[in-house]
Structures are given as structure tokens and as C-alpha cells.
Amino acid sequence: MNGAPVVPLFVPGDRPERFEKAASSGADAVIIDLEDAVAPERKEAARRAAVTASLALPVFVRVNAAGTPWHAEDLAALSGAALAGIILPKAEDPATLATLRALLPDEGVVVALVESARGLAGARELARAAGRLAFGSMDYAADLGCAHTREALLTARAELVLASRLGGLPAPLDGVTAAIGDEALTESDARHAAELGFGGKLLIHPRQVGPALRGFAPGEEEVAWARRVLASEGDGAVKMDGAMIDAPVRMRAERILARAGG
């Protein structure tokens, strides 16, 4: 289920001069944002920049949410564009995801960004229509009126991991860390997400790439343990360091090495 962590980086769609910098940041993909980062009067310019962007990394576009005045125009502009995927904010309706999927090449991915109580309640249905789930934690907390803390959001995060597993999807992406200058917090947030079963994290500044990757990376002791487990003999249960090693333990070891890049 979990491979190497994925850390895509948002960049405002109306700031094309930042696209190349985002692509050279060490992120796995660039997300050109047409939604929150772009003022209404700049939406059209952002669409044009997104459609014409040519970068070395995969390019995703976050469109405006369904029901907003800009959604239909976003879809019309992106139809036929050579994109790696589309991110739908405020995802709640699987039918909207299917519409977006039809705009993409065969290998394109639709990411459902869950940001509301209704979206979380329907996460398992969204997982059947999306290529991946992601968590918009700040919008979700605002919708519920709850604190934006790990404790308050634990149930929501756990549900997205479970919904992704049930839907046969890659592990979900966690939401952004707003404090772009706090590298320790970004790393800690990423580590917390990894512990819960997330497969990556959305980022909003190039400075967050390194800390996020460090947070998802297993420690040296974990990697050494995983290699010893997989080197242990036998397909059934064997004893190592006074503990029994069986199929679930080997599966955990495989996932640790996948997070470490092999």
C-alpha cells in the first residue's frame, strides 16, 4: 500500500515565474493552483499559465470547487491538456470526480481533496471514483468548528487512511503545514502523518520539501530492523531478537524499506 512518500508543492497559477523554482525544489510534482491562491480577477490568467506550463516534473492543477463561478471555466480550459492530474477541492460528489477523469489522459490521476464533514462522510464512496485522497485539514476544521490540532483531527485522518485502503488506492496525502518558516513543525507533522499511514504531504513552500521528506523517512534503526526481518529464513513464523517474525511483520518491514526508497 505504501511506497516512497509523495510531497507535491503548490504554486499560485497566476505566478508562472515561480513554476520552474517549484519544479527544482525537490518536490515530486508541482500543483498549479487555480483556487485559494488566486484572486477572482486573476483566474483566467492562471488558467492560461496552467495549460501552457511545461516542466520537468508531473504537473497537477487544483481547480476551483464544483458549484463556484469558476469551476466550469476551469474544466473547459483544461480539457485535453497534458496534465498528470487534477485536484478537486471540497470533494463531496463522486460524479464530479468522474467528470474530471474524462478530461485527463489514461494515466492521469484525479485527487479528491476532502475538506468538509460531508466529504469525510462520503470518503469511501469518493475513494471508488478518485485516484487518490488528500486531506484539507484547515478547511475541514473550519467546517466542523473544531481545533486544528492532531488530537481533534485524528479521527478524520484515520478515516481517510481506511477509505483509501478499502478503495485500493495509494495511501492518502496529508494537508499543508501553514507555518512555512517552521521546518521542525513541518517535519513533525510529516512524521505524525506517516505514523497514521499517510503516503505523503501537500506543501506550500520549497523550504518545506526537505523537512517533509525527513519526517516520512524511517530512522536508521527501523531500516536496519526491516532488512534483518526480510533476511530471516522461512515463510512461516521464525524467532528474531526474542520476538516472532511472521507474515504481518514482514509486510511492515517491506513498507518501511519502501518509505526509505529501498
Side-chain angles (χ1 to χ4, degrees), residues 56-99:
L57 290 184
V59 174
F60 287 72
V61 173
R62 178 168 70 171
V63 297
N64 289 278
T68 66
W70 312 284
H71 181 75
E73 293 181 5
D74 287 349
L75 270 55
L78 297 180
S79 179
L83 298 174
I86 296 175
I87 298 178
L88 178 68
K90 313 298 189 297
E92 296 178 352
D93 182 8
T96 304
L97 299 175
T99 299

Side-chain angles (χ1 to χ4, degrees), residues 22-109:
S24 62
S25 66
D28 298 290
V30 173
I31 304 172
I32 299 177
D33 191 16
L34 306 183
E35 194 210 16
D36 287 347
V38 181
E41 65 273 14
R42 298 288 297 165
K43 299 286 189 186
E44 181 56 35
R47 291 188 197 104
R48 291 195 301 268
V51 170
T52 58
S54 178
L55 301 174
L57 290 184
V59 174
F60 287 72
V61 173
R62 178 168 70 171
V63 297
N64 289 278
T68 66
W70 312 284
H71 181 75
E73 293 181 5
D74 287 349
L75 270 55
L78 297 180
S79 179
L83 298 174
I86 296 175
I87 298 178
L88 178 68
K90 313 298 189 297
E92 296 178 352
D93 182 8
T96 304
L97 299 175
T99 299
L100 296 179
R101 183 67 192 82
L103 301 177
L104 293 169
D106 290 342
E107 65 276 11
V109 176

Side-chain angles (χ1 to χ4, degrees), residues 62-258:
R62 178 168 70 171
V63 297
N64 289 278
T68 66
W70 312 284
H71 181 75
E73 293 181 5
D74 287 349
L75 270 55
L78 297 180
S79 179
L83 298 174
I86 296 175
I87 298 178
L88 178 68
K90 313 298 189 297
E92 296 178 352
D93 182 8
T96 304
L97 299 175
T99 299
L100 296 179
R101 183 67 192 82
L103 301 177
L104 293 169
D106 290 342
E107 65 276 11
V109 176
V110 176
V111 179
L113 186 57
V114 176
E115 302 184 279
S116 66
R118 187 179 297 276
L120 186 69
R124 301 185 191 190
E125 287 71 31
L126 293 174
R128 298 190 186 102
R132 195 160 201 164
L133 301 182
F135 188 31
S137 58
M138 289 188 287
D139 282 274
Y140 176 83
D143 186 43
L144 264 69
C146 70
H148 190 263
T149 62
R150 293 175 187 176
E151 293 80 4
L153 300 176
L154 178 60
T155 300
R157 285 191 166 104
E159 173 59 22
L160 291 181
V161 172
L162 180 58
S164 296
R165 184 71 179 109
L166 292 174
L169 300 184
L173 304 179
D174 197 20
V176 304
T177 298
I180 60 177
D182 193 337
E183 295 186 8
L185 180 60
T186 298
E187 182 175 342
S188 178
D189 283 349
R191 185 172 295 109
H192 175 68
E195 289 173 351
L196 293 177
F198 279 78
K201 180 174 175 60
L202 302 172
L203 307 177
I204 55 174
H205 194 278
R207 289 176 58 182
Q208 296 180 321
V209 174
L213 289 174
R214 290 194 297 272
F216 275 96
E220 292 181 5
E221 291 185 1
E222 278 187 285
V223 172
W225 172 86
R227 287 176 176 158
R228 290 174 57 225
V229 166
L230 295 182
S232 63
E233 296 181 359
D235 294 328
V238 298
K239 191 173 182 180
M240 188 184 87
D241 298 338
M244 296 306 297
I245 305 300
D246 55 9
V249 177
R250 292 189 181 95
M251 185 180 298
R252 178 177 170 233
E254 289 171 353
R255 291 175 177 170
I256 288 172
L257 293 184

